Amino acid sequence: MTLEDWGVTTADRAALASMSQPTWHLARVADERRDRWRVLLEHGEALAEPSGRLRHAALSADDLPAVGDVVAVSLRHGEDRVTLHAVLPRRSALRRKQAGRGSGSQLLATNVDVVVIAMALDDDWNPRRLERYLAFAWDSGASPLVVLTKSDLCPEAEERRDEAESLAPGTTVLAVCARDGVGVEAVAQALPPRQTAVVVGSSGVGKSTLLNALLGEQRQVVTPVRERDQRGQHTTTQRSLFVLPGGALLIDTPGMRELGLIANDEALDAAFADLEALAADCRFRDCQHTGEPGCAVAAAIEDGELDPERVDSWRRLEREAAWQRRKADPLARIAEQRRWKQMGQAGKERGAMRRRGLDG
């Protein structure tokens, strides 16, 4: 296979050339093993160890390689290992908030084109969680693809698929039963050659079963959900990159018990594109959709065209993402305080205008 088959681009080659290091070669990170990485090279694969300079220059975990990264390495003659010198610029990065109360983030995968959101149609079905995953996917810089697994266990599979499509406007939604191979070909067709996808979802939704079906062989261990609570079990313990028969690259990830959201405004706008379109028709530019006159969102709820729970989810995710940004960035905290002050002043001015109209 060529480096292009591994997802390396002309921009990566140009970045390496700009480093003026003739003994360095391009490689793609396939998985991480403690402080070493398995990388894919033009002539095969090898374990890569970071150079002392790279290790000491890293200010955070984000400065070290992640699965999906394109890196610059030098060969060690007579050894089956290489030295890792640099991480090339990333086209996209999938991040979530670190577990716990800290403000840090965890880098899950990089240079991905598609985020495959796997959600089971049995007891795992949760529309609000799907909205969260969609915002998470859009924030990475990649495009989401929703795959609803275990369709054989849900009599309302078609209805839930329709609901998922309404929650993910413009996003492809596919229902599959990976164990029996139903719908798997449609997923494979949605993943073009040389593009990189990453599959994410809760534990037990069938990510490993889906990957095995796409690969056409048992590569990942599959275990059943627990009988006592129908909760999934972690079968995938690390992120790994695989090449599918059709030429696409797929990164498998461990199941997530919780998904702490880190998202920018553009990601939330994409995840709630239908609400953003409605909000554009509100009378006031800074409408908060909480009872202001001329609110198009409130009118859609009243007419039965919009689920109020979706609006609540939209607000909740906006607040959560803003809180995370403020927590991580002091300047964002100041900007948010200024925004609330301006909103308060605008509200006072509108109130004064209404009172003058009544007095007149």
Side-chain angles (χ1 to χ4, degrees), residues 108-123:
L108 301 180
T110 67
N111 297 323
V112 296
D113 304 289
V114 179
V115 179
V116 180
I117 301 170
M119 178 169 284
L121 286 169
D122 57 2
D123 294 340

Side-chain angles (χ1 to χ4, degrees), residues 107-156:
L107 188 59
L108 301 180
T110 67
N111 297 323
V112 296
D113 304 289
V114 179
V115 179
V116 180
I117 301 170
M119 178 169 284
L121 286 169
D122 57 2
D123 294 340
D124 181 70
W125 175 249
N126 186 323
R128 306 287 78 85
R129 189 188 304 135
L130 176 57
E131 290 166 340
R132 177 178 289 270
Y133 270 100
L134 285 164
F136 169 62
W138 283 116
D139 186 65
S140 71
S143 300
L145 168 66
V146 178
V147 177
L148 305 176
T149 62
K150 304 184 182 182
S151 60
D152 58 320
L153 301 180
C154 179
E156 303 86 19

Side-chain angles (χ1 to χ4, degrees), residues 96 108 133 136 200-203 207 234 254-259:
R96 69 166 178 174
L108 301 180
Y133 270 100
F136 169 62
V200 297
S202 305
S203 300
K207 298 189 302 298
H234 288 290
M256 289 185 275
R257 296 294 190 202
E258 61 175 290
L259 176 58

Side-chain angles (χ1 to χ4, degrees), residues 15-295:
L16 179 67
S18 69
M19 296 177 182
S20 301
Q21 295 287 345
T23 61
W24 288 5
H25 302 265
L26 290 175
R28 186 92 189 266
V29 177
D31 63 50
E32 182 179 353
R33 304 178 179 186
R34 295 187 180 181
D35 59 345
R36 295 185 179 92
W37 292 264
R38 182 172 65 89
V39 298
L40 305 170
L41 301 129
E42 191 100 53
H43 60 271
E45 62 180 66
L47 280 181
E49 298 175 335
S51 66
R53 183 174 181 179
L54 176 63
R55 189 187 296 279
H56 292 301
L59 299 177
S60 70
D62 277 12
D63 296 324
L64 294 173
V67 176
D69 270 331
V70 179
V71 294
V73 302
S74 61
L75 307 180
R76 297 182 183 180
H77 296 291
E79 299 184 39
D80 58 356
R81 298 188 179 188
V82 297
T83 299
L84 205 157
H85 296 281
V87 178
L88 273 61
R90 293 159 174 157
R91 302 190 306 275
S92 61
L94 190 69
R95 288 184 175 87
R96 69 166 178 174
K97 175 188 170 295
Q98 283 183 338
R101 297 185 178 182
S103 60
S105 63
Q106 179 186 12
L107 188 59
L108 301 180
T110 67
N111 297 323
V112 296
D113 304 289
V114 179
V115 179
V116 180
I117 301 170
M119 178 169 284
L121 286 169
D122 57 2
D123 294 340
D124 181 70
W125 175 249
N126 186 323
R128 306 287 78 85
R129 189 188 304 135
L130 176 57
E131 290 166 340
R132 177 178 289 270
Y133 270 100
L134 285 164
F136 169 62
W138 283 116
D139 186 65
S140 71
S143 300
L145 168 66
V146 178
V147 177
L148 305 176
T149 62
K150 304 184 182 182
S151 60
D152 58 320
L153 301 180
C154 179
E156 303 86 19
E158 283 302 315
E159 290 84 350
R160 288 185 174 176
R161 180 178 178 278
D162 291 342
E163 183 179 4
E165 287 184 333
S166 71
L167 298 175
T171 298
T172 300
V173 178
L174 302 171
V176 305
C177 174
R179 183 182 60 185
D180 298 331
V182 177
V184 173
E185 182 59 30
V187 177
Q189 291 294 327
L191 304 176
R194 295 185 173 182
Q195 286 203 359
T196 301
V198 58
V199 58
V200 297
S202 305
S203 300
V205 299
K207 298 189 302 298
S208 295
T209 302
L210 175 63
L211 175 61
N212 288 336
L214 289 168
L215 287 169
E217 59 180 307
Q218 291 290 119
R219 295 282 293 277
Q220 293 290 73
V221 176
V222 176
T223 60
V225 296
R226 294 193 297 258
E227 288 290 339
R228 66 178 183 274
D229 58 7
Q230 291 299 299
R231 295 296 298 273
Q233 303 178 64
H234 288 290
T235 55
T236 300
T237 58
Q238 65 181 29
R239 290 171 286 280
S240 301
L241 185 147
F242 299 87
V243 183
L244 302 183
L249 301 136
L250 185 63
I251 299 172
D252 195 16
T253 63
M256 289 185 275
R257 296 294 190 202
E258 61 175 290
L259 176 58
L261 188 64
I262 298 175
N264 56 36
D265 292 338
E266 290 77 13
L268 289 168
D269 290 350
F272 293 91
D274 54 335
L275 299 189
E276 287 296 327
L278 278 173
D281 293 331
C282 290
R283 181 186 300 176
F284 299 111
R285 195 176 197 178
D286 59 348
C287 181
Q288 298 300 296
H289 322 301
T290 55
E292 294 89 340
C295 176

